[in-house]
Amino acid sequence: MTVAFAFLTGMTLVSALGVVLSRSVVHSALFMSGAFLGIAGFFVMLNAPALAAFQVLIYVGAVTVVILFGIMFTQRPQVRRFRTIINRQIWPGFFAAAGVGAFLCYILVGESWEGAEPGNGARSVAVLGRSLLGAGEGVEIFSLLFEAASVLLLVALVAAIAISRRKDEEEASR
Amino acid sequence: MQQFLDQLNAQVPLEGYLVVAAIMFAIGAWGALIRRNAVVVFMCVELMINAVNLTLVAFADFLPGAGGAGASYAVLVIAIAAAEVAVGLAIVLAIFRTRRTVNIDEVDSLRG
């Protein structure tokens, strides 16, 4: 467990730093999928294999491909010096982010986690599915949240199509 | 030797996952603050969302009173993040069509 944890930690954090610091945008996208794979490994370690499958399918598959398409449509060839990819706030931004991280670590480690033992999660897919649909015992709000998420996905689909349509060329071709 | 092997096989405490998630959140926040390219800013936001997901799943597995609800919340967060990245990239594409740039400090037509 400790070896897997150390490996996944290194993979995730090094990939996350690669997203921030790499000079090519395509490298950033590939580093991002590496960080997502590390998180999927953490999900397996945390007894949530169905979530790990969702993570690999949606993040490593779909989101990375959509972002690569976005990169393909929007990038011009540009000088890849380090100054051109980063604005002037590199050190103020670093101190703000490090302050946030240090504060979160301080709070989370300082809290006493009485009775925190691994193995309480919904390990099987059936339990996770019932909980997600609000049919299991426990939280019942999930039936509402599930419906709201489906409506939100439909609205986002229509909005993405409506925003990214090219109107001028359509009118020009008529 | 046996002690060392036991230590290698030991369970990782809850704080380990939480600290990794907090550091990943901070890296994502740093990137969202300093990068110029709007697509990379989106990637850093995705990193932050993933860090929060890791925290949720860790709590769902470790806390006995949680009842495993964190995993269901993580599924909803994944769906909303996918919707967000689709709409966000559509906006980036529309901005690129009109202004020929995706650098967020050059898109300043709302500045007073």
Side-chain angles (χ1 to χ4, degrees), chain A residues 20 36 55 59 117 120 131, chain B residues 34-35 46 50 61-62 72:
Chain A
V20 178
F36 291 165
Q55 174 89 5
Y59 272 117
E117 285 293 318
N120 292 304
S131 161
Chain B
I34 68 168
R35 288 298 295 251
E46 295 295 316
N50 263 279
D61 193 47
F62 273 87
S72 306

Side-chain angles (χ1 to χ4, degrees), chain A residues 82-94, chain B residues 33-36 105 111:
Chain A
F82 202 65
R83 300 296 331 167
T84 63
I85 63 164
I86 287 182
N87 59 22
R88 288 190 300 274
Q89 281 89 18
I90 176 163
W91 291 114
F94 176 76
Chain B
L33 285 175
I34 68 168
R35 288 298 295 251
R36 280 202 165 118
D105 45 1
R111 176 185 281 178

